[in-house]
Amino acid sequence: VGGACPLRVITPQLVFSSINQTSEFPCDENTITATLRYNVPLLCPCAQDFMLTDLTGTRDEDNSYSLSYGGTVMSQTGSWDTTNGVFTGGFEMDTTACMDIVIELSVQNGVVGRDAA
Protein backbone atom coordinates (compact mmCIF):
# COMPACT_ATOMS: atom_id res chain seq x y z
CA VAL A 1 0.00 0.00 0.00
CA GLY A 2 1.35 3.44 -0.88
CA GLY A 3 5.13 3.53 -0.78
CA ALA A 4 5.50 0.29 1.18
CA CYS A 5 6.70 -1.68 -1.87
CA PRO A 6 10.45 -1.09 -2.36
CA LEU A 7 11.35 0.39 -5.76
CA ARG A 8 7.75 0.47 -6.97
CA VAL A 9 7.37 3.43 -9.33
CA ILE A 10 4.00 4.61 -10.59
CA THR A 11 3.83 5.02 -14.36
CA PRO A 12 3.00 8.63 -15.28
CA GLN A 13 -0.20 8.83 -17.31
CA LEU A 14 -2.14 11.67 -18.85
CA VAL A 15 -5.53 11.36 -17.12
CA PHE A 16 -7.23 14.38 -18.72
CA SER A 17 -6.62 16.58 -21.72
CA SER A 18 -8.66 19.15 -23.59
CA ILE A 19 -8.06 21.76 -26.26
CA ASN A 20 -10.22 24.76 -27.13
CA GLN A 21 -9.99 27.95 -29.15
CA THR A 22 -11.49 31.43 -28.90
CA SER A 23 -12.18 31.99 -32.62
CA GLU A 24 -12.86 29.91 -35.70
CA PHE A 25 -12.93 32.83 -38.15
CA PRO A 26 -10.30 33.49 -40.87
CA CYS A 27 -7.65 36.11 -40.04
CA ASP A 28 -8.98 36.54 -36.49
CA GLU A 29 -6.85 36.60 -33.33
CA ASN A 30 -7.21 33.22 -31.64
CA THR A 31 -6.12 31.78 -28.32
CA ILE A 32 -5.71 28.01 -28.32
CA THR A 33 -5.89 26.62 -24.79
CA ALA A 34 -4.73 23.10 -23.98
CA THR A 35 -5.19 21.62 -20.51
CA LEU A 36 -3.20 18.59 -19.31
CA ARG A 37 -3.55 16.63 -16.07
CA TYR A 38 -1.25 13.79 -14.95
CA ASN A 39 -1.81 11.08 -12.34
CA VAL A 40 1.51 11.74 -10.59
CA PRO A 41 3.56 14.80 -9.63
CA LEU A 42 5.97 15.86 -12.37
CA LEU A 43 9.26 16.63 -10.68
CA CYS A 44 11.78 18.78 -12.53
CA PRO A 45 14.63 16.25 -12.67
CA CYS A 46 12.29 13.70 -14.30
CA ALA A 47 9.70 15.88 -16.03
CA GLN A 48 9.31 15.05 -19.67
CA ASP A 49 8.48 17.40 -22.50
CA PHE A 50 5.01 17.45 -23.97
CA MET A 51 4.03 18.03 -27.59
CA LEU A 52 0.94 19.54 -29.22
CA THR A 53 0.67 18.68 -32.90
CA ASP A 54 -1.46 19.54 -35.96
CA LEU A 55 -1.49 23.26 -35.13
CA THR A 56 -0.96 24.43 -38.71
CA GLY A 57 -2.56 27.26 -40.65
CA THR A 58 -1.60 30.32 -38.62
CA ARG A 59 -0.76 33.55 -40.46
CA ASP A 60 2.42 34.63 -38.76
CA GLU A 61 5.67 33.25 -37.39
CA ASP A 62 5.51 35.29 -34.16
CA ASN A 63 2.96 33.23 -32.26
CA SER A 64 3.31 33.63 -28.49
CA TYR A 65 2.60 31.20 -25.70
CA SER A 66 2.42 30.84 -21.94
CA LEU A 67 2.38 27.89 -19.57
CA SER A 68 0.65 28.09 -16.23
CA TYR A 69 0.22 25.70 -13.38
CA GLY A 70 -2.18 26.23 -10.51
CA GLY A 71 -2.73 29.80 -11.72
CA THR A 72 1.02 30.60 -11.68
CA VAL A 73 2.79 31.30 -14.97
CA MET A 74 5.71 28.92 -15.38
CA SER A 75 8.98 29.64 -17.15
CA GLN A 76 8.45 29.49 -20.88
CA THR A 77 10.61 26.64 -22.09
CA GLY A 78 8.58 25.77 -25.16
CA SER A 79 9.35 25.97 -28.84
CA TRP A 80 6.82 26.68 -31.56
CA ASP A 81 7.40 25.18 -35.02
CA THR A 82 4.82 27.01 -37.13
CA THR A 83 5.91 25.31 -40.37
CA ASN A 84 5.00 21.85 -39.05
CA GLY A 85 2.37 23.00 -36.53
CA VAL A 86 4.13 21.53 -33.49
CA PHE A 87 4.46 23.09 -30.05
CA THR A 88 6.89 21.37 -27.67
CA GLY A 89 7.12 22.46 -24.05
CA GLY A 90 8.67 21.45 -20.80
CA PHE A 91 8.31 22.13 -17.09
CA GLU A 92 10.70 24.17 -14.96
CA MET A 93 8.91 23.62 -11.67
CA ASP A 94 7.53 20.63 -9.82
CA THR A 95 3.82 19.92 -10.24
CA THR A 96 1.31 18.08 -8.08
CA ALA A 97 -0.68 15.05 -9.20
CA CYS A 98 -4.07 15.81 -10.74
CA MET A 99 -3.55 19.59 -11.03
CA ASP A 100 -4.20 21.28 -14.37
CA ILE A 101 -1.32 22.45 -16.52
CA VAL A 102 -2.60 25.06 -18.97
CA ILE A 103 -0.88 25.98 -22.23
CA GLU A 104 -2.14 29.05 -24.09
CA LEU A 105 -1.02 29.75 -27.65
CA SER A 106 -1.86 33.15 -29.13
CA VAL A 107 -2.09 32.96 -32.92
CA GLN A 108 -3.66 34.67 -35.89
CA ASN A 109 -5.88 32.32 -37.88
CA GLY A 110 -5.08 31.61 -41.51
CA VAL A 111 -6.86 33.15 -44.48
CA VAL A 112 -8.57 29.97 -45.64
CA GLY A 113 -10.73 27.56 -43.69
CA ARG A 114 -9.59 24.13 -42.61
CA ASP A 115 -11.09 21.20 -40.73
CA ALA A 116 -10.07 20.38 -37.18
CA ALA A 117 -7.21 17.90 -36.86
Side-chain angles (χ1 to χ4, degrees), residues 16-91:
F16 174 80
S17 65
S18 70
I19 190 162
N20 298 294
Q21 67 178 1
T22 58
S23 175
E24 59 187 288
F25 302 113
C27 301
D28 201 7
E29 296 295 322
N30 190 3
T31 300
I32 299 169
T33 303
T35 304
L36 308 174
R37 189 179 309 144
Y38 291 88
N39 65 326
V40 297
L42 299 177
L43 306 177
C44 282
C46 294
Q48 297 181 354
D49 289 345
F50 59 87
M51 185 180 300
L52 305 175
T53 60
D54 296 322
L55 300 172
T56 58
T58 61
R59 289 193 62 202
D60 57 273
E61 300 292 318
D62 296 325
N63 300 314
S64 63
Y65 59 89
S66 70
L67 287 85
S68 64
Y69 167 70
T72 302
V73 174
M74 301 169 64
S75 296
Q76 296 180 344
T77 59
S79 65
W80 176 253
D81 177 354
T82 54
T83 302
N84 295 308
V86 176
F87 177 82
T88 304
F91 305 103

Side-chain angles (χ1 to χ4, degrees), residues 100-117:
D100 289 349
I101 299 163
V102 179
I103 302 102
E104 289 188 343
L105 306 171
S106 298
V107 302
Q108 186 173 25
N109 289 341
V111 177
V112 297
R114 62 177 292 239
D115 291 330

